Amino acid sequence: MNPDENLQVAIIDDTIHTDTPHGRAIKRIVQGIEAYGIRVADVASPADARAAYSNLPAVNCILINWNLGGGTPKKQKETQDLIHEIRDRNEDIPIFLMAETTSETPVSLTVDMIREINEYIYVMEDTPEFIAGRITAAAKRYQERLLPPFFGELVRFSKDFEYSWHTPGHAGGTAFRKSAPGRLFHAFFGEQLFRSDLSISVGELGSLLDHSGPVGEAEKYAAKVFGSDMTYFVTNGTSTANKIVFFGRVTKDDIVMVDRNCHKSAEHALTMTHSVAVYLIPTRNRYGIIGPIPKSEMTPEAIREKIAACPLAKTAPDKKPVHAIITNSTYDGLCYHAKEVEALLGRSVDSIHFDEAWYAYARFNPLYTNRFAMRDGARDARGPTVFATQSTHKLLAALSQASMIHVRNGRVPVEHSRFNEGFMMHSSTSPLYTIIASLDVSSKMMDGASGRLLTAETIEEAIRFRRTMARIGKELGTGKTGTDWWFTMWQPETIRDPKTKKKIPFAALPLETLRDNPSCWVLHPDEKWHGFEGLEDNYCMLDPIKVTVLMPGVNDDGTLAGWGIPAAIVVRFLDTRGIISEKSGDYSILFLFSMGITKGKWGTLLTELFEFKRLYDENVPLEEVFPDLTRGCPERYAGMTIKGLVDEMHAFKKGHRMCELLQQAFSLLPEPAVTYAEAFTRLVRNEVEHVPVAKAGNRIVATGIVPYPPGIPLIAPGERTGRQSGPVLQYLKSLQDFDNRFPGFGHDTHGIENINGEYMMYCIRRKKR
């Protein structure tokens, strides 16, 4: 790519097409700019400019007529407001203010206004060719500054068209073009991808393994943007980033305080480091949504008691935990007050690891103040060292597997040379440079005003959807008739206005109030909507961009009502309409509002929820809703209606007490019998056997049992299953029975194989007596 390609200039001027001296001069300037190969877009008014804001990232320079709309004080105030709005969105784009030769306007501008203008143009004074040259130069300089360290060097290197005598063997894509399927592959992705797929042999680009050259500069730039002391780029996801952190802080027999609501990569890290997990137990509400870990679980006294009660910790050489890992935000969008968590856990451990895989955007919006790891002003040489692992690709803009590790040093700081040994154990010597470039570009996108704008727009879209759903619920969800129902939202019904202190219905609150005030999203202890007991005020906040839609059917006490709509059927319906949710529970569906969500996307979601309601209310034949299901399982679903399936599934869940069993199963902490590492050793050595759930009482599992949802360990490797009649195995039995009763709606449970309708799990083989 040539940085000079695709340059574009926008001219905001209502006289550009008039036959006046000013209009003719502007036309000649446009001709001069176009002679440099730069495209010019003309905009007639501030209103048209605001309508085109979505295209602003494609523009490299903006010209604005100071006398736009006639030059009256009122119109000039509108022009000033427009310039302020552009600067709020982009701090760096060059803005040229156009004025008449007779105008003294620049002298009369405020100091703040002068600061926001790059250059002034007197269109009747300088030659059009000179002005066009100034504009072109400014646009090119701006385009060049857009390129962050690594991506910029990659672009410059690609311009040299060097012959490749090193890996990868496709040599810039040439090898693919030597066969028919290869040519299709090459044509699909385009030449630039293959020419930028380079080797560590290209010294100009630096090395990911030793963090040198442009790669190292890109990591330093990311550290500045994300507020860390050190940042490491990871090209194989946050699952690997979590393992790298463990390898830098944890070793054999060390005790680690682990959020039971952790990703399975933490389980893998515990296995690989041969360390001992002692769990911090989160809360759970009536919908099965996982809440925060209570502060009472994190006190030094509570931690000492947990370690003393853990059978595996009794043989640990040192009873002091070395590390703690906390999921923030949770998968359902609950954000801790990170400052308070650090203060509590920091009294017991020297390093705290926040798994922020779904939360990389928090630093860039004031709504999340104090609720993420890399906070401004948080450095404390006497406090714990803090890690944040982030999946940049999940909710920012980067390619899949693009992640970062951020470090804020404390009393036991990270020594780069030692930490990097663990980093290299988990990193390829042949990383994909496009992933590295995407991390670099993501940093640039989030720097300054751009990061604030992108996060604010995402929050606004989520709030608009939430308010629309709440408003529809008020109109349709009164329950006066059989068809008078709607999907509710997991959010407060009323909010205390920060200014008036009066409680106002959620749908009636101004967007700005919900966007700018964290108190609107805090889980207050006196409110029933969230379902968590014993929370301290301001400890936990709901992230507005993680939107949970609730199905009818769950009572306030967590039992199932006489009528309800299981989420699995709605999820399948939406899937047939090209709408894929992030995850679902028994009666809840989570939708993520990322930077890529638009009004059109959430408007379509709204339309399809209405369509599902219509199909259900009209009791449409199932073959019209799920033709693939009725064709695949005709003996099971032939002749059924959508309402009949919904009612039967809800009745099954209610009759088998599936929601209650889930609550009971996850409220117990299974007994650990052997370490994760020992369980894995037995698995590799084949000292295991497949055991049906119906006969798995008091067995030791060799692999974790992780039902999705909620996606956290029901039983961790090396733990006992408990009594055959206990809630853990009874819950698994209910899942097995459900899968057999409703083919096509089976559960995804890691560690379980469904063999001929029977749930089987790997258990450690018992020693023969």
Side-chain angles (χ1 to χ4, degrees):
M1 184 193 80
N2 188 329
D4 296 344
E5 292 175 354
N6 301 316
L7 290 174
Q8 182 172 338
V9 171
I11 300 179
I12 305 173
D13 189 345
D14 54 354
T15 67
I16 191 170
H17 297 295
T18 61
D19 189 19
T20 63
H22 178 92
R24 290 191 292 272
I26 294 296
K27 288 177 184 175
R28 289 196 296 273
I29 292 171
V30 169
Q31 291 170 357
I33 295 171
E34 289 176 339
Y36 286 100
I38 298 174
R39 291 177 293 120
V40 177
D42 59 88
V43 182
S45 69
D48 290 344
R50 291 184 179 95
Y53 272 158
S54 60
N55 293 320
L56 185 60
V59 175
N60 303 96
C61 184
I62 298 175
L63 281 65
I64 302 177
N65 185 356
W66 176 242
N67 295 315
L68 193 63
T72 64
K74 180 181 178 181
K75 291 296 184 181
Q76 289 180 344
K77 175 64 168 58
E78 290 182 8
T79 303
Q80 285 185 346
D81 291 342
L82 175 63
I83 293 171
H84 286 313
E85 289 173 27
I86 292 172
R87 277 287 173 247
D88 284 342
R89 290 170 169 268
N90 191 321
E91 298 166 313
D92 302 317
I93 191 168
I95 298 177
F96 285 56
L97 192 65
M98 300 184 292
E100 303 291 346
T101 309
T102 58
S103 171
E104 297 180 0
T105 302
V107 179
S108 65
L109 292 174
T110 65
V111 173
D112 288 341
M113 192 66 182
I114 292 172
R115 286 178 179 148
E116 294 185 340
I117 299 300
N118 294 85
E119 292 197 30
Y120 301 96
I121 299 175
Y122 294 93
V123 295
M124 303 299 295
E125 189 169 280
D126 291 314
T127 67
E129 293 76 16
F130 178 80
I131 294 173
R134 295 287 300 172
I135 294 167
T136 299
K140 289 183 177 181
R141 286 195 301 270
Y142 170 72
Q143 177 92 325
E144 186 66 27
R145 288 197 304 271
L146 288 179
L147 299 174
F150 178 80
F151 180 53
E153 192 58 41
L154 183 64
V155 168
R156 287 184 281 275
F157 181 84
S158 70
K159 291 168 61 179
D160 293 339
F161 291 90
E162 294 187 357
Y163 280 115
S164 169
W165 294 89
H166 52 72
T167 59
H170 63 72
T174 302
F176 287 111
R177 295 173 56 80
K178 292 185 175 182
S179 74
R183 292 183 74 88
L184 292 174
F185 183 69
H186 187 279
F188 181 82
F189 285 103
E191 181 175 347
Q192 198 63 59
L193 172 68
F194 301 102
R195 288 183 50 220
S196 61
D197 185 21
L198 299 165
S199 162
I200 197 170
S201 302
V202 181
E204 297 97 316
L205 297 175
S207 167
L208 181 66
L209 295 182
D210 60 21
H211 313 279
S212 62
V215 175
E217 291 303 312
E219 290 178 321
K220 290 175 184 175
Y221 175 60
K224 179 182 79 72
V225 173
F226 286 86
S228 67
D229 293 334
M230 309 157 73
T231 288
Y232 295 85
F233 285 178
V234 180
T235 58
N236 37 355
T238 300
S239 294
T240 295
N242 287 341
K243 295 167 192 170
I244 291 170
V245 171
F246 266 72
F247 268 57
R249 303 301 275 194
V250 179
T251 189
K252 189 175 187 295
D253 295 329
D254 282 346
I255 294 174
V256 182
M257 305 308 300
V258 179
D259 185 346
R260 187 73 178 189
N261 177 26
C262 66
H263 189 259
K264 63 183 179 182
S265 60
E267 170 194 312
H268 296 159
L270 289 158
T271 301
M272 297 166 78
T273 56
H274 291 246
S275 51
V276 177
V278 175
Y279 288 104
L280 303 167
I281 309 302
T283 51
R284 183 181 294 272
N285 73 3
R286 59 185 174 272
Y287 297 106
I289 293 172
I290 302 159
I293 300 166
K295 293 168 75 172
S296 59
E297 290 267 310
M298 301 184 188
T299 64
E301 297 78 16
I303 288 175
R304 283 195 296 269
E305 290 174 4
K306 286 175 175 291
I307 292 172
C310 177
L312 301 181
K314 295 184 187 301
T315 59
D318 189 348
K319 300 301 188 290
K320 183 182 185 300
V322 301
H323 190 65
I325 179 169
I326 303 293
T327 304
N328 188 45
S329 73
T330 69
Y331 304 123
D332 297 288
L334 295 178
C335 316
Y336 289 94
H337 195 290
K339 186 176 180 180
E340 294 183 15
V341 172
E342 286 177 27
L344 279 169
L345 287 177
R347 296 161 64 188
S348 300
V349 297
D350 290 328
S351 64
I352 300 172
H353 173 180
F354 288 102
D355 183 347
E356 295 183 346
W358 301 84
Y359 199 43
Y361 50 86
R363 174 178 171 79
F364 306 101
N365 195 282
L367 189 71
Y368 304 102
T369 299
N370 286 327
R371 298 190 180 276
F372 57 93
M374 298 297 128
R375 309 179 305 279
D376 287 337
R379 290 181 177 84
D380 182 2
R382 295 173 298 177
T385 290
V386 176
F387 297 87
T389 50
Q390 297 177 349
S391 294
T392 317
H393 66 94
K394 279 187 168 72
L395 288 169
L396 295 184
L399 297 180
S400 290
Q401 300 192 72
S403 296
M404 298 189 199
I405 300 170
H406 303 296
V407 183
R408 169 163 49 87
N409 280 318
R411 56 181 175 260
V412 182
V414 169
E415 294 181 22
H416 166 72
S417 57
R418 290 195 297 119
F419 187 81
N420 198 51
E421 291 298 315
F423 178 91
M424 290 191 292
M425 286 184 183
H426 294 277
S427 301
S428 172
T429 54
S430 302
L432 187 64
Y433 279 28
T434 46
I435 295 179
I436 301 174
S438 76
L439 284 166
D440 196 22
V441 169
S442 189
S443 299
K444 185 69 174 180
M445 289 177 66
M446 302 311 293
D447 197 1
S450 177
R452 293 193 298 273
L453 171 70
L454 291 169
T455 53
E457 286 183 342
T458 304
I459 292 168
E460 288 174 5
E461 291 305 325
I463 290 172
R464 289 187 179 99
F465 176 75
R466 287 175 176 275
R467 290 198 308 171
T468 303
M469 289 288 288
R471 187 175 67 251
I472 296 170
K474 290 293 183 184
E475 298 176 10
L476 295 181
T478 62
K480 293 179 180 178
T481 68
T483 60
D484 193 6
W485 63 271
W486 184 241
F487 305 96
T488 55
M489 302 294 294
W490 190 57
Q491 63 190 27
E493 292 184 7
T494 60
I495 289 178
R496 194 175 299 280
D497 186 278
K499 293 181 179 178
T500 66
K501 306 303 180 185
K502 294 181 180 179
K503 283 204 167 184
I504 299 174
F506 186 96
L509 274 167
L511 182 147
E512 294 76 17
T513 300
L514 292 166
R515 181 193 64 198
D516 299 336
N517 292 278
S519 63
C520 296
W521 304 97
V522 166
L523 276 61
H524 299 294
D526 60 339
E527 295 176 343
K528 294 182 179 180
W529 69 269
H530 54 73
F532 299 113
E533 298 180 357
L535 289 181
E536 290 190 24
D537 204 16
N538 203 41
Y539 177 56
C540 185
M541 185 186 90
L542 175 62
D543 188 345
I545 76 165
K546 289 162 183 166
V547 178
T548 298
V549 178
L550 301 175
M551 311 297 106
V554 180
N555 295 320
D556 287 345
D557 63 358
T559 60
L560 293 187
W563 172 80
I565 299 178
I569 297 177
V570 182
V571 168
R572 187 183 185 99
F573 170 77
L574 293 174
D575 186 49
T576 65
R577 302 304 177 99
I579 297 174
I580 311 300
S581 62
E582 176 54 38
K583 77 178 188 72
S584 63
D586 287 312
Y587 290 86
S588 64
I589 307 175
L590 176 68
F591 298 94
L592 296 180
F593 275 65
S594 67
M595 291 191 297
I597 298 299
T598 62
K599 293 181 182 66
K601 289 183 180 179
W602 69 254
T604 301
L605 170 59
L606 198 67
T607 299
E608 295 303 342
L609 290 174
F610 265 110
E611 177 63 5
F612 180 87
K613 174 178 167 56
R614 182 191 70 81
L615 294 170
Y616 177 85
D617 290 344
E618 295 179 4
N619 201 18
V620 170
L622 193 61
E623 63 183 1
E624 295 183 19
V625 184
F626 301 135
D628 58 332
L629 186 67
T630 54
R631 284 195 303 267
C633 307
E635 70 289 346
R636 174 63 181 86
Y637 296 116
M640 291 191 71
T641 63
I642 183 65
K643 185 176 185 301
L645 177 61
V646 166
D647 293 347
E648 182 183 337
M649 188 178 291
H650 178 73
F652 181 93
K653 286 179 174 287
K654 180 177 174 63
H656 285 71
R657 300 177 53 251
M658 291 185 70
C659 293
E660 293 98 314
L661 284 172
L662 180 146
Q663 295 281 25
Q664 294 169 18
F666 279 96
S667 66
L668 298 174
L669 188 61
E671 176 193 351
V674 299
T675 63
Y676 284 37
E678 177 63 20
F680 186 70
T681 298
R682 300 287 187 89
L683 183 72
V684 173
R685 290 176 176 172
N686 198 25
E687 296 173 4
V688 295
E689 57 188 348
H690 249 159
V691 178
V693 164
K695 298 179 180 179
N698 204 34
R699 296 298 299 267
I700 302 170
V701 297
T703 61
I705 308 298
V706 186
Y708 289 86
I712 68 170
L714 176 65
I715 318 173
E719 290 182 342
R720 294 189 185 276
T721 58
R723 295 177 293 109
Q724 188 66 52
S725 60
V728 169
L729 292 177
Q730 287 304 300
Y731 175 60
L732 290 174
K733 176 69 164 52
S734 73
L735 296 183
Q736 171 187 287
D737 294 344
F738 178 94
D739 292 357
N740 292 331
R741 178 75 171 271
F742 298 99
F745 293 92
H747 291 81
D748 177 17
T749 305
H750 175 77
I752 291 289
E753 291 184 61
N754 191 333
I755 300 176
N756 298 323
E758 190 169 39
Y759 270 19
M760 306 290 289
M761 63 176 75
Y762 277 116
C763 295
I764 294 175
R765 187 179 296 120
R766 287 171 170 166
K767 293 181 180 179
K768 295 182 179 180
R769 295 180 181 178

